[in-house]
Amino acid sequence: MSYNAFITEETIEGDGSGPLAGRTVAIKDNISTANVRTTCGSNTLAEYVPPYDATVVERLFEAGATIVGKTNMDEFGMGTTTETSAFGPTENPAADGRVPGGSSGGSAAAVAAGEADLALGSDTGGSVRCPAAFCGVVGLKPTYGLVSRYGLVAYANSLEQIGPLAPTVGGAAELLDVIAGLDPNDATTRAPPEGAETDYAAAADGDVGGLTIGVPTELTEGADDGVRTAFEESITELERQGATIEDVSLPSVETAVQAYYVIAMSEASSNLARFDGVRYGTKGDSDGNWNESFAAAREAGFGEEVKRRVLLGTYALSAGYHDKYYKRAQDARAWVKQDFDETFDQVDVVASPTMPVPPFELGESLDDPLQMYLADANTVPVNLANLPAISVPAGETDEGPVGIQFVGPAFGEATIIRAGSALE
Amino acid sequence: MTVDDEEVRHVASLARIDLEETEIERFAEQFDEILEYFEALDDVPEIETETDLTNVMRPDEVRDGLTQEEALRNAPETEDGYFKGPNVS
């Protein structure tokens, strides 16, 4: 059975040595692969062939991995279901008739279906963790700056990171070990602070004795009943294994979705200006002047969700509205960061359901964009605060898999990997 | 707040995206709902932040970049080794 997990299936053999020798890896189609087309799930890049490899792809080859293809995704990463792809929706291998989540839905589906051992996705507001949760696999969003974004086609630079997906926490950690590290081609990469635990695979030891886990009411109360039950059972299991559970409060997350969308859309409106049908991107059907031709190229190349976000971002940055939306959103972002900083004085990790809902039915959410944005409530605060987070399978509802999310302090990947591995 | 068709047309022209009439109507309705939701940002407290930023420097050394051929490979139209664009006015 084909789940339409791949946009391009092409095998590039690794050289057979290194930590990922003999392992197959699927790459999200917004990560550049030299001489293999990279579409971002968009018509405008349907024929785009990058002249160079992303840094993470170079690191995979150096580690001996074999790449098996480029995975389906919401167009430019804009979506929570993988249905905004110009190459058709991906089906969820773990939940018949339902979406795999998004935007890295093809990467999660490829791993869930066994079509790749491991996969890379990108996470701007939950795009690795959401599909991991919906497909019953593991997905990790690294601390901002841990993994190079060189060669990742930008949607919202200040928020996004490339992250691993795998069937197990240990697998995701091994892939993170390979892709993490400073890159002279990405000046936003940072070294973890002195003394930070950076052997991620070794951290997947399941030892949560003495770990303090904070559970914020704001991120659990609104969840669907079946999701809450599965989440609470996982928390009980962690407590049984020796973790201490504490209630914590993160009042700032109430405006996190608004802040996230204002910032992401604003950055997108600037980033996507490069697709002009001249340097790259499909050319529109216009013989007019530069502006007319540009506008026609973008009408032809972009799908509806991309247009919606570029237009709203343009609106939020336009004269008279910049202070009202963009500046306020930056305050809301700083507030979220401050809230998490204070919480990590009390607890080691913060846990919540990854998604407040089970996987949507295919087609269910396409007509109501705001409803879809609200589903990102538990994942976007992490990107706003530049923190690491992992989604790990936490059982099932009748409608499909449930994921539990562990958020750690900056460069605390080892701690969230340890917490997640205790549930396997 | 009410977003009308004219406002959507204005933003679309700023963003250089042509829209169909049906898209304009649909977007006006959706933008109204989404922007109303964004109103909650008015209640966010002002936060004092001390951003911990470090300059990242590197030596300014000559190194290989893309060849002209590689750089032009994805352009819909080229002429004499240049990108070919539409008339400026």
Side-chain angles (χ1 to χ4, degrees):
Chain A
M1 149 115 212
S2 167
Y3 301 101
N4 197 30
F6 290 93
I7 291 174
T8 305
E9 286 191 73
E10 182 152 333
T11 303
I12 315 168
E13 298 276 354
D15 70 1
S17 62
L20 295 181
R23 311 279 278 282
T24 56
V25 185
I27 311 280
K28 189 178 183 179
D29 210 21
N30 59 351
I31 298 173
S32 300
T33 40
N35 305 314
V36 177
R37 76 170 177 157
T38 297
T39 69
C40 293
S42 181
N43 269 328
T44 203
L45 293 179
E47 310 292 335
Y48 174 68
V49 179
Y52 65 95
D53 278 324
T55 298
V56 293
V57 171
E58 279 180 1
R59 291 190 177 159
L60 286 179
F61 288 134
E62 283 162 19
T66 291
I67 287 175
V68 289
K70 306 297 298 288
T71 57
N72 203 1
M73 57 182 283
D74 282 299
E75 187 176 4
F76 288 106
M78 299 179 187
T80 309
T81 65
T82 309
E83 293 170 296
T84 72
S85 169
F87 299 87
T90 294
E91 298 205 28
N92 187 333
D96 208 19
R98 293 182 183 268
V99 302
S103 66
S104 314
S107 289
V111 169
E115 293 175 8
D117 297 327
L118 304 164
L120 289 181
S122 65
D123 191 312
T124 310
S127 285
V128 163
R129 291 161 286 153
C130 160
F134 280 3
C135 292
V137 301
V138 175
L140 189 147
K141 182 258 162 200
T143 305
Y144 188 79
L146 181 68
V147 176
S148 169
R149 291 179 293 110
Y150 181 68
L152 171 68
V153 180
Y155 153 28
N157 324 46
S158 82
L159 297 161
E160 58 209 5
Q161 277 284 288
I162 292 171
L165 294 112
T168 63
V169 174
E174 272 182 273
L175 185 50
L176 182 62
D177 277 320
V178 167
I179 60 171
L182 294 175
D183 178 10
N185 284 327
D186 177 359
T188 64
T189 52
R190 286 199 295 155
E194 201 104 353
E197 191 180 346
T198 54
D199 185 344
Y200 303 122
D205 58 13
D207 179 9
V208 290
L211 190 78
T212 309
I213 301 173
V215 178
T217 44
E218 293 87 352
L219 298 183
T220 47
E221 271 175 359
D224 174 276
D225 285 346
V227 171
R228 259 179 89 164
T229 305
F231 171 72
E232 279 159 13
E233 281 170 8
S234 297
I235 290 294
T236 306
E237 171 58 23
L238 290 163
E239 200 168 16
R240 194 192 62 74
Q241 293 186 32
T244 306
I245 312 300
E246 270 187 38
D247 288 335
V248 294
S249 180
L250 294 167
S252 65
V253 302
E254 303 293 355
T255 46
V257 173
Q258 292 90 331
Y260 168 77
Y261 275 97
V262 168
I263 293 169
M265 288 167 170
S266 297
E267 293 186 21
S269 74
S270 167
N271 276 321
L272 271 59
R274 73 191 60 173
F275 302 111
D276 55 9
V278 174
R279 291 164 298 169
Y280 27 60
T282 47
K283 195 170 176 301
D285 186 21
S286 164
D287 293 324
N289 69 25
W290 190 278
N291 283 334
E292 289 156 358
S293 171
F294 196 179
R298 293 148 66 74
E299 159 73 346
F302 291 160
E304 187 164 320
E305 184 61 27
V306 171
K307 288 181 208 168
R308 189 155 39 233
R309 294 196 192 189
V310 169
L311 293 180
L312 281 165
T314 304
Y315 184 88
L317 293 175
S318 65
Y321 293 107
H322 178 277
D323 283 6
K324 179 175 171 56
Y325 295 108
Y326 188 73
K327 198 160 166 288
R328 285 290 177 183
Q330 294 296 347
D331 277 331
R333 181 174 190 172
W335 189 23
V336 171
K337 190 169 181 309
Q338 179 182 294
D339 246 1
F340 272 109
D341 281 349
E342 286 170 9
T343 303
F344 288 124
D345 288 339
Q346 285 175 63
V347 300
D348 299 313
V349 298
V350 167
S352 74
T354 307
M355 297 299 289
V357 288
F360 312 106
E361 284 179 46
L362 282 159
E364 183 183 335
S365 59
L366 278 185
D367 293 337
D368 191 344
L370 182 57
Q371 215 49 46
M372 192 168 76
Y373 301 164
L374 293 174
D376 299 340
N378 289 5
T379 52
V380 296
V382 170
N383 302 73
L384 290 171
N386 302 332
L387 299 174
I390 192 170
S391 178
V392 176
E396 297 242 350
T397 68
D398 295 342
E399 293 143 289
V402 174
I404 180 171
Q405 168 178 259
F406 298 100
V407 185
F411 296 105
E413 275 78 2
T415 310
I416 57 172
I417 286 168
R418 186 162 284 123
S421 63
L423 292 174
E424 294 186 318
Chain B
M1 160 170 316
T2 318
V3 180
D4 59 23
D5 292 5
E6 212 34 61
E7 216 158 351
V8 174
R9 277 197 195 90
H10 174 63
V11 174
S13 83
L14 291 176
R16 309 280 188 268
I17 298 181
D18 283 344
L19 296 176
E20 308 274 344
E21 279 306 308
T22 53
E23 277 181 311
I24 293 172
E25 280 170 36
R26 192 161 59 242
F27 280 166
E29 205 174 299
Q30 291 171 346
F31 289 5
D32 211 37
E33 198 188 6
I34 293 166
L35 292 169
E36 193 186 315
Y37 175 67
F38 289 168
E39 291 286 310
L41 290 170
D42 282 346
D43 302 327
V44 169
E46 268 193 46
I47 303 289
E48 293 270 331
T49 47
E50 276 182 51
T51 315
D52 179 24
L53 294 175
T54 323
N55 283 326
V56 178
M57 312 295 274
R58 62 168 172 77
D60 189 17
E61 287 165 349
V62 176
R63 50 183 179 163
D64 288 339
L66 298 179
T67 62
Q68 190 175 31
E69 194 189 336
E70 285 169 332
L72 292 172
R73 187 166 74 186
N74 285 286
E77 276 189 88
T78 63
E79 196 174 297
D80 301 333
Y82 294 98
F83 293 111
K84 188 176 177 191
N87 296 331
V88 174
S89 59

